[in-house]
Amino acid sequence: MTRAHAGDLYRFAYWLCGQDALAQDLVQETLLRAWKGLDALREAESAKPWLLAILRREHARIHERKPLDTVELDEGIAEEAAWASPERHGDAAELREAMSKLPHKYREPLLLQVLGGMSCEEIAAELGQQPGAVMTQLFRARQKLKSILQGGRPEAQHGLS
């Protein structure tokens, strides 16, 4: 069960935190918590959404425990670090940057759908919302993402804020 979903868990964790080591730690902690609570999983088909929910909560716990210290980086160092990961350049970097500009209320459901493969109903249950609200958030997230990727041209915004 865990091997089948480990790649998806890592990708979701990486999109949440943007750091390889932290994403790996999140996956490890998720799998540990899942192992301890395995009897809570009722159906094998719901394993992936269940694991993603655990990962999401674990990511939130990290930020509850302690705020992360921030340090100003020299521009040269930041540019060198950008080449450290394949997702840091090219189309993936552009998409990641555009996703980071989305408001949290749009970004999270979109990540759960695209990376987690969750349905609107599963996302709604995970976020404690109605499926209709999630569908609206997903629609707006895609429209905003499209606008950002097109350079914010007015014709691409369709009046969404």
Side-chain angles (χ1 to χ4, degrees):
M1 170 184 81
T2 57
R3 287 185 190 252
H5 300 298
D8 292 333
L9 289 172
Y10 173 79
R11 281 187 289 281
F12 184 61
Y14 188 84
W15 275 88
L16 286 175
C17 68
Q19 300 173 24
D20 178 57
L22 184 54
Q24 290 178 21
D25 289 347
L26 283 168
V27 171
Q28 291 281 333
E29 189 62 30
T30 297
L31 295 175
L32 178 63
R33 288 184 185 276
W35 179 256
K36 289 178 181 178
L38 192 57
D39 50 333
L41 181 63
R42 301 194 196 314
E43 300 172 11
E45 301 83 42
S46 59
K48 186 175 179 180
W50 180 66
L51 289 167
L52 289 171
I54 294 171
L55 190 142
R56 201 174 141 266
R57 285 191 295 272
E58 188 55 33
H59 180 256
R61 275 190 200 98
I62 288 172
H63 295 291
E64 287 174 4
R65 282 183 239 162
K66 68 171 194 158
L68 299 176
D69 296 329
T70 58
V71 178
E72 291 295 322
L73 294 178
D74 179 52
E75 277 188 44
I77 294 172
E79 287 176 15
E80 288 175 24
W83 293 101
S85 168
E87 285 200 357
R88 295 283 188 202
H89 62 281
D91 292 340
E94 184 180 354
L95 179 60
R96 183 169 177 76
E97 183 178 338
M99 291 283 290
S100 72
K101 291 178 182 176
L102 290 175
H104 181 74
K105 72 178 188 174
Y106 297 139
R107 183 176 55 240
E108 190 168 28
L110 187 60
L111 286 174
L112 288 171
Q113 185 183 54
V114 174
L115 294 177
M118 296 172 76
S119 69
C120 284
E121 291 77 18
E122 291 169 329
I123 295 168
E126 176 59 29
L127 299 178
Q129 298 178 3
Q130 296 296 317
V134 170
M135 289 175 67
T136 299
Q137 290 170 345
L138 289 169
F139 174 78
R140 289 184 179 166
R142 285 188 189 93
Q143 291 300 314
K144 286 180 174 288
L145 191 59
K146 182 178 176 183
S147 174
I148 292 167
L149 290 170
Q150 292 177 345
R153 293 194 302 264
E155 65 272 10
Q157 291 183 5
H158 301 291
L160 296 175
S161 58

